[in-house]
Every structure is written in C-alpha cells, then in structure tokens.
Amino acid sequence: MTAVPTEEGPEPAAGWTPTWALGRAVLLTGTLLIAAVLLGRVDLVVLAAPFALGTAYALRRRPTAAPQLEIFADDAHLVEGGALAGTVSVGNPDTVSYDVAVVRARVSPWLRVERVGFGGAGVDVRRSGADRPFVTSIPTGRAVDLELSGTALRWGRHPIGPAGARVAAADGLLVSRAVITDPVRLRVYPETEPFEAVEAMPRAAGLVGAHHSRRPGEGGELAGVRVFGPGDRLRRIDWRVSLRARQLHVAATLSDRDAEVVVLLDVLAEAGRSGGVKGAASVLDTTVRASAAIAEHYLHRGDRVAMLEYGPAARRLRPATGRRQYLTVLEWLLDVRAEASPHEPYDQVFGPQVLSADALVVVLTPLLDERSAQMLARLARGGRFVVAVDTLPADLSPPGERGWAPVAYRLWRLDRDTMIAQLREHGVPVVRWAGAGSLDQVLRDVARLATAPRVGAR
C-alpha cells in the first residue's frame, strides 16, 4: 500500500449518502420512542437506547472526501503472448477509515486476466471473469492496490477499465457515490514472425549499405583488376599483377548500397476470425505480424523502411533506418484498422514524391477488393518493383452450407484465382505469406527482371 496525498483538501460531504441500514436504525428508534410516549412504557425507551446510541457513535466522525481511483499499466515491452500487469489503486484521503470498498474494473477480451487480488492475496478468475466486484477495507490516508495479472492475447491498444469504486464508512451507515475513472490503453506489440530474405534487392539506391550494386566503389566484392589511376588508394594495389605487368594495378570493387523498402498495407477488407497469438489468424493479424517481421529484417540490415496504408485514411510513415525506426513502425502498426470505403483511395499517396523509383514495394493484401488488384497493376505499369503478399487465411471457410452458398464460394474462389493469374501476367508476383523464406524465390525473380536488358534498349 502507498500513501495518498491530501493536499487538495476534502471534498464536500454531498458525495456521501445514507444507506438502508441508517434508515432502518432511525426508523426503528423513532418508532420505539413514539410508542413509549403514547403507551407510557419506559421499557420501550430502554429498548430504543442501544439503536440511538449506536447510530450516534457511528456517525460521530463522518467522512467528507470521496475515494481516489487510478489505473496503472506496465506496457513498456509487452508483446503478444507476454505477461501483463495492471493495477487499480483505491486511495483514502479522508481522516476516517473506509470499512468496505467495492472495486470493479472492465478489461478488454484480448487481455486474459488470470489472477486478481489485493497485495499478495490473489484469486484465480479464469472462469468467473475479471470484471466481478472485489471487496477490501482501506485505512486512513492509505491506498490499496488491486493487482491484475494475466496474458496479452492479441496486438493492439487494449483498454484496462473503466474502473469503478464505491466505499462504505461509519459502520456501513454512509456510502459514497460511485467513483469512475477513465480506461488506460495497454500497448501490445505484434509478435514478430521469423523472416529471413537472403536474396539481393532488385536495385539498391543509397550510398552505403549491405547490398551489392553494379556500380564501382568502396565495397567488399571484387569487380576486377585495372591500371592504377589518380585517386586510387595504395591499399588497393595488387602487387602480384603489378610485378608481372611492370605497371601498378589496383583491385576494383563494387560499392555496397542500401535500399528502400516500402511496406504497403491493404486495409480495405478484413476476413477470418482472430484467435489471438496461439489461435487462428485473420487478415489483419497476418498483415500486421508480417509487416513487423519484414521491417525488422530490413532495418537490421541497414535499409530504409517506409510504411503506407491503402485505405480511406492513407496513413504514412516516412522512410528511415535504425532501431528507432523499428520502434516507430511497431507503434504505427498498433493503429492499423480495416476500413471499408465505397470511394477509391487517393492515388496521390502513391506518387513519385512518396514511392522512390528504386524502392521495393511489398504489398500485403488479401485481394478481396478489385481496387487492390487495380492498384497493384498501376504500380507495375509505373515501373515499380512490386511484390504482392497474399494475406488471406488458407483455411477460410465458406459463409454457410445451405442453398447456393457452397457454389457461390467456389465461384468466388475461381474468380480470385483468375485475378491473381492476371496480376502475374502484368508482372506482379503474388506469393502467400509463410514466414521464413516467403519472399526468397519471388525476390530472386524480381532481381533478375531488374537486371535484365530492356527490349529495344541500345
């Protein structure tokens, strides 16, 4: 327990109301006294005396301040499947002890609270639920913490709260009005699926980095041996070739360059039912987790990574490098939401000022909307290096088994397969996300197309 400051002073007594117990005590005392006067019986006065004295003694010190209620949550590095820790703190700023405090808090269904308790005394709530009332007493000038512990099941910003508290004082004769506090949003970062792409980028655009380019420079890959010229470094001299040719020769190398990766998230539609970190994955689950894995991989290699949304909001995260950008990407992914819109998303967000000509565009899409396929085709016609990652769950079940539902589902599947075949004819490779090595083969094909000579080029 922690002390509660009382610098602001007590609140008005209007926040406290009499309970039914106080009403019954007053009614019983008054009835006995009236009957004693009317009947002239002294024994009724003696019978009413304990009720009157007990009520007066309990009300000798009446509370004036309402309880203080706060919610705390530790979300520094909480990932899907990690252990969560939350606290609902109820404080007593009054000079009178609270006999009974009833605390209740709502928790997001994606936060599975397994144990709730005051201090070390915890109660298993796997079956009964965490939103049931919990009762305790609070001494004067102290606070009692209701500790919540459990597991975070899914990425996102999940609320703990609102929480409410109501306390009773004066031996249960006075009760405070309900005090409700706003919820606290707990940040749960997506679990990074294992991803490793060993293939080179289609076209590196920066000055330094980890990818081998075709341009000469200060890199680590040998490009040949040439005659020494002005500006060449002495440490590059190949003495064996120079002695044989009786002329200084240097080893020429290719420059190592970084690349820009743009991860484009299609948020026009959602499909499938999310089962949390250990259950089935919906379209948004696969999209967010795959985006985090791709961003982590390329940022670890020193590349620049940018994030875009294809949807009504058209959110964008500028390209950058380093661990700071990775943390920013994780924070940006927490606000990903599926937003259906009858209008075409703005094409201006995919203009040349946003998408570099040398950038690799990885589009995570379920291909449930024709506008998504048209967007992919436009990017390919514009000369972009586009890779489409299919995020539709493989085990997606038909909507029903009655009537024409199974036939309509099979027709929709055929139409979607035709759409994917047309995209491949337009030069857009489509690959299903499968974790590690998902993009190796398709990146190899894209890199081969990028280095192939163009038809009609001189």
Side-chain angles (χ1 to χ4, degrees):
M1 296 184 294
T2 55
V4 176
T6 58
E7 298 176 357
E8 299 180 359
E11 296 183 6
W16 292 83
T17 58
T19 63
W20 288 103
L22 178 58
R24 287 191 298 268
V26 173
L27 178 62
L28 181 59
T29 302
T31 302
L32 291 175
L33 292 177
I34 293 174
V37 172
L38 294 178
L39 300 177
R41 296 181 56 179
V42 181
D43 57 335
L44 295 180
V45 177
V46 176
L47 186 62
F51 295 99
L53 294 176
T55 303
Y57 181 80
L59 295 177
R60 75 191 187 284
R61 296 180 60 192
R62 290 179 294 176
T64 56
Q68 296 178 345
L69 189 63
E70 292 182 284
I71 301 177
F72 305 96
D74 184 10
D75 62 347
H77 301 285
L78 185 57
V79 186
E80 289 178 304
L84 67 91
T87 303
V88 180
S89 179
V90 187
N92 180 4
D94 212 324
T95 57
V96 180
S97 300
Y98 294 156
D99 301 323
V100 176
V102 181
V103 186
R104 191 169 187 173
R106 290 184 178 180
V107 181
S108 169
W110 294 115
L111 301 176
R112 185 175 61 193
V113 178
E114 301 170 352
R115 191 172 180 82
V116 179
F118 291 99
V123 179
D124 196 331
V125 294
R126 288 185 179 91
R127 295 183 179 179
S128 59
D131 59 344
R132 70 175 190 174
F134 293 87
V135 180
T136 186
S137 60
I138 307 177
T140 302
R142 307 291 288 179
V144 176
D145 297 336
L146 178 65
E147 299 176 355
L148 312 175
S149 60
T151 307
L153 300 180
R154 189 172 184 256
W155 58 272
R157 303 181 188 272
H158 304 301
I160 296 181
R166 201 169 186 181
V167 300
D171 293 337
L173 299 181
L174 296 177
V175 64
S176 69
R177 294 182 180 178
V179 177
I180 300 176
T181 185
D182 294 331
V184 173
R185 297 284 176 175
L186 190 67
R187 297 174 299 177
V188 181
Y189 296 111
E191 184 183 37
T192 303
E193 296 188 1
F195 172 69
E196 184 73 22
V198 299
E199 289 300 319
M201 298 294 293
R203 183 180 298 169
L207 297 177
V208 294
H211 303 287
H212 301 307
S213 71
R214 302 179 63 183
R215 300 181 182 180
E218 295 294 331
E221 185 170 351
L222 185 64
V225 180
R226 57 177 175 80
V227 179
F228 181 88
D232 289 334
R233 298 186 178 183
L234 297 179
R235 63 185 180 88
R236 293 287 187 181
I237 296 177
D238 191 326
W239 294 106
R240 294 183 179 180
V241 178
S242 300
L243 291 175
R244 288 199 305 265
R246 297 183 179 276
Q247 188 178 5
L248 287 178
H249 284 69
V250 294
T253 57
L254 298 177
S255 61
D256 294 334
R257 316 196 123 215
D258 67 344
E260 181 176 333
V261 180
V262 178
V263 183
L264 179 58
L265 285 68
D266 181 4
V267 295
L268 290 178
E270 167 70 315
R273 179 174 296 180
S274 176
V277 65
K278 300 300 182 181
S282 65
V283 167
L284 278 186
D285 289 341
T286 304
T287 299
V288 170
R289 293 166 186 165
S291 301
I294 294 173
E296 181 185 24
H297 169 73
Y298 285 109
L299 287 172
H300 182 70
R301 299 186 63 177
D303 297 324
R304 300 185 305 276
V305 175
M307 310 293 289
L308 283 175
E309 270 190 5
Y310 184 68
R315 295 192 307 134
R316 174 196 174 197
L317 180 63
R318 296 178 179 273
T321 60
R323 177 171 176 79
R324 182 177 181 180
Q325 177 70 357
Y326 176 61
L327 297 177
T328 306
V329 166
L330 292 180
E331 195 76 21
W332 188 87
L333 289 174
L334 295 183
D335 298 320
V336 173
R337 298 289 182 273
E339 299 181 71
S341 174
H343 307 289
E344 178 71 22
Y346 296 103
D347 287 340
Q348 288 81 356
V349 299
F350 307 113
Q353 70 278 7
V354 176
L355 294 180
S356 172
D358 297 321
L360 171 64
V361 183
V362 181
V363 183
L364 298 159
T365 172
L367 292 174
L368 295 175
D369 198 310
E370 292 185 359
R371 293 172 294 179
S372 303
Q374 295 171 2
M375 177 266 296
L376 288 169
R378 286 196 298 269
L379 289 176
R381 287 197 299 266
R384 310 291 182 183
F385 301 108
V386 184
V387 175
V389 179
D390 186 5
T391 58
L392 190 70
D395 56 350
L396 186 66
S397 59
E401 298 294 339
R402 297 181 179 179
W404 295 94
V407 178
Y409 179 74
R410 288 198 295 269
L411 290 176
W412 171 78
R413 277 287 188 180
L414 291 174
D415 183 66
R416 186 173 181 274
D417 293 341
T418 303
M419 181 193 304
I420 293 176
Q422 292 176 349
L423 285 174
R424 288 170 176 164
E425 291 178 358
H426 280 78
V428 181
V430 181
V431 60
R432 181 175 295 278
W433 176 256
S438 297
L439 306 183
D440 269 351
Q441 180 61 41
V442 69
L443 285 179
R444 186 184 299 114
D445 297 339
V446 173
R448 187 183 301 113
L449 291 175
T451 57
R454 297 182 179 179
V455 178
R458 296 181 179 178

